[in-house]
Amino acid sequence: MKLEERVELINEVKKQIKDTIDLRKDFSDDEIKELITNIVFEKTGKLYLSISEKKEIIDDVFNSMRRLDILQPIIDDKSVTEIMINGPDTIFIEKNGKTYRLDVRFENRRKLEDVIQTMVSKVNRTVNESSPIVDARLEDGSRVNVVLPPIALNGPIVTIRKFPEKPMTIDQLIEYGSITEEVADVLNRMVRAKYNIFISGGTGSGKTTFLNALSNFIPKDERIITIEDSAELQIIGLDNIVKMETRNANTEGKGEITIRDLIKTSLRMRPERIIVGEVRGPEALDMLQAMNTGHDGSLSTGHANSPKDMLSRLETMVLSGSSMPLEAIRQQIASAIDIIIHLARLRDKTRRTMEITEIAGYENGEIILNPLYVFEEEGETPQKVIIGSLKRTKNEMVRKWKFKMAGISDEF
């Protein structure tokens, strides 16, 4: 069947369904699917279509009416890690680290806008011309970013970052070459000893994935609070966990709940650790103060190109919401954060841990960084895959007292 004939048939089926039943009433998915199936078999009785072709048409109609239209099979594909929609006619995906353009398109711009509204409304978010940018999430935890015209010039833009069904484990990170067994053991002991750890890296470097893996080391009897812009952390195995998510302002500009608000209220909830999914603004100060006031073992992430760059960005974030002098900010950072783990996506598209560095103190107006492990590149395979791993530097760790307080070995 030609594409034009298929589209025409799908539209006929949808029209007949709308003429047959009132879709405003509460019909179950099974009832709608049964009706679609009957109409499709009725309309294709004289056409030479295989059962699989008929099933595809039934799924297309169902996804269009009750799911996310042409996006649904792409979202259901476990091998797709990113979906990039540049207007109704252009859809790219990332698969196995490579980007491909798909030969599919939305029926029209209005259909894409309807799908966007379906996605954001399910998590009580709003996006329109007056508020054209929004972050949301899908039911499976995938992260969604939407930018509408007039900000986006080539139609509605949607970027969906998918996450695996089961969160990545440390064992998998070892298997993929992101870290070594030795480093995994050291990080395990650091998390249990309640070192405050900050994960830095560029876009798509695997910060959230790494944070999920690190959280597996948290003792099961602790009370954890997670704070995110849009919930995407997949922390499992902890019973006493509270998950909180920000809220945008309503159409009247009221009711906004920020990460700063959530960090402040979390301090009254008796947390043993606070996990902030990502800091990118004035909330950095609240996070640092929480780390400095008895909430050791806290974890967070941020965008940066190196550990040193992460410190500069944290300074800028704090300055954006505070009139504190720079020296006081640097002292706060130096006393709050113990370890920075820096991740990167290399030229072969693999995600690697590039550096694990200790914040060793504050001296002469500067924060002292003490690299403990650094990634060393050793060459390439014939397939251009980078060979290399984290190597221990000759630097001794300075802040070993948390190991001693927790009764955990500080040798590595």
mmCIF file of all heavy atoms in Angstrom, residues 23 67-68 121 183 225 236 307 354:
data_model
loop_
_atom_site.group_PDB
_atom_site.id
_atom_site.type_symbol
_atom_site.label_atom_id
_atom_site.label_comp_id
_atom_site.label_asym_id
_atom_site.label_seq_id
_atom_site.Cartn_x
_atom_site.Cartn_y
_atom_site.Cartn_z
ATOM 1 N N LEU A 23 -16.166 10.594 21.702
ATOM 2 C CA LEU A 23 -14.868 10.360 22.329
ATOM 3 C C LEU A 23 -14.692 11.119 23.651
ATOM 4 O O LEU A 23 -13.753 10.872 24.385
ATOM 5 C CB LEU A 23 -13.740 10.747 21.359
ATOM 6 C CG LEU A 23 -13.576 9.810 20.157
ATOM 7 C CD1 LEU A 23 -12.584 10.384 19.157
ATOM 8 C CD2 LEU A 23 -13.135 8.425 20.610
ATOM 9 N N ARG A 67 -2.521 7.826 22.115
ATOM 10 C CA ARG A 67 -1.125 7.862 22.554
ATOM 11 C C ARG A 67 -0.445 9.100 21.960
ATOM 12 O O ARG A 67 -1.036 10.153 21.910
ATOM 13 C CB ARG A 67 -0.406 6.576 22.143
ATOM 14 C CG ARG A 67 -0.905 5.324 22.880
ATOM 15 C CD ARG A 67 -0.476 5.315 24.343
ATOM 16 N NE ARG A 67 -0.865 4.079 25.004
ATOM 17 C CZ ARG A 67 -2.002 3.911 25.677
ATOM 18 N NH1 ARG A 67 -2.883 4.894 25.740
ATOM 19 N NH2 ARG A 67 -2.276 2.775 26.278
ATOM 20 N N LEU A 68 0.792 8.959 21.530
ATOM 21 C CA LEU A 68 1.567 10.099 21.039
ATOM 22 C C LEU A 68 1.814 10.025 19.536
ATOM 23 O O LEU A 68 2.886 10.378 19.054
ATOM 24 C CB LEU A 68 2.897 10.182 21.800
ATOM 25 C CG LEU A 68 2.774 10.387 23.318
ATOM 26 C CD1 LEU A 68 4.142 10.370 23.968
ATOM 27 C CD2 LEU A 68 2.032 11.690 23.643
ATOM 28 N N SER A 121 0.613 18.227 29.613
ATOM 29 C CA SER A 121 -0.547 18.313 30.514
ATOM 30 C C SER A 121 -0.563 17.165 31.523
ATOM 31 O O SER A 121 -1.083 17.314 32.630
ATOM 32 C CB SER A 121 -1.849 18.319 29.712
ATOM 33 O OG SER A 121 -2.003 17.111 28.990
ATOM 34 N N VAL A 183 38.261 1.891 41.012
ATOM 35 C CA VAL A 183 37.579 3.180 41.207
ATOM 36 C C VAL A 183 36.183 2.945 41.793
ATOM 37 O O VAL A 183 35.740 3.690 42.683
ATOM 38 C CB VAL A 183 37.488 3.950 39.874
ATOM 39 C CG1 VAL A 183 36.586 5.168 40.009
ATOM 40 C CG2 VAL A 183 38.879 4.376 39.419
ATOM 41 N N ILE A 225 16.230 12.545 50.336
ATOM 42 C CA ILE A 225 15.316 13.468 49.643
ATOM 43 C C ILE A 225 15.908 13.772 48.272
ATOM 44 O O ILE A 225 17.067 14.180 48.170
ATOM 45 C CB ILE A 225 15.160 14.800 50.412
ATOM 46 C CG1 ILE A 225 14.871 14.565 51.889
ATOM 47 C CG2 ILE A 225 14.119 15.681 49.741
ATOM 48 C CD1 ILE A 225 13.457 14.472 52.294
ATOM 49 N N ILE A 236 16.616 3.161 43.117
ATOM 50 C CA ILE A 236 15.850 1.996 43.571
ATOM 51 C C ILE A 236 16.541 1.370 44.783
ATOM 52 O O ILE A 236 17.709 1.633 45.052
ATOM 53 C CB ILE A 236 15.706 0.938 42.448
ATOM 54 C CG1 ILE A 236 17.093 0.515 41.937
ATOM 55 C CG2 ILE A 236 14.846 1.449 41.324
ATOM 56 C CD1 ILE A 236 17.061 -0.610 40.926
ATOM 57 N N PRO A 307 36.602 19.986 36.069
ATOM 58 C CA PRO A 307 36.350 20.279 37.487
ATOM 59 C C PRO A 307 36.589 21.747 37.834
ATOM 60 O O PRO A 307 35.822 22.347 38.591
ATOM 61 C CB PRO A 307 37.344 19.365 38.212
ATOM 62 C CG PRO A 307 37.536 18.218 37.279
ATOM 63 C CD PRO A 307 37.491 18.823 35.905
ATOM 64 N N MET A 354 36.446 11.094 33.247
ATOM 65 C CA MET A 354 37.720 11.702 32.877
ATOM 66 C C MET A 354 38.598 12.027 34.085
ATOM 67 O O MET A 354 39.820 12.030 33.983
ATOM 68 C CB MET A 354 37.473 12.989 32.074
ATOM 69 C CG MET A 354 36.654 12.793 30.822
ATOM 70 S SD MET A 354 37.341 11.549 29.707
ATOM 71 C CE MET A 354 38.838 12.360 29.180
#
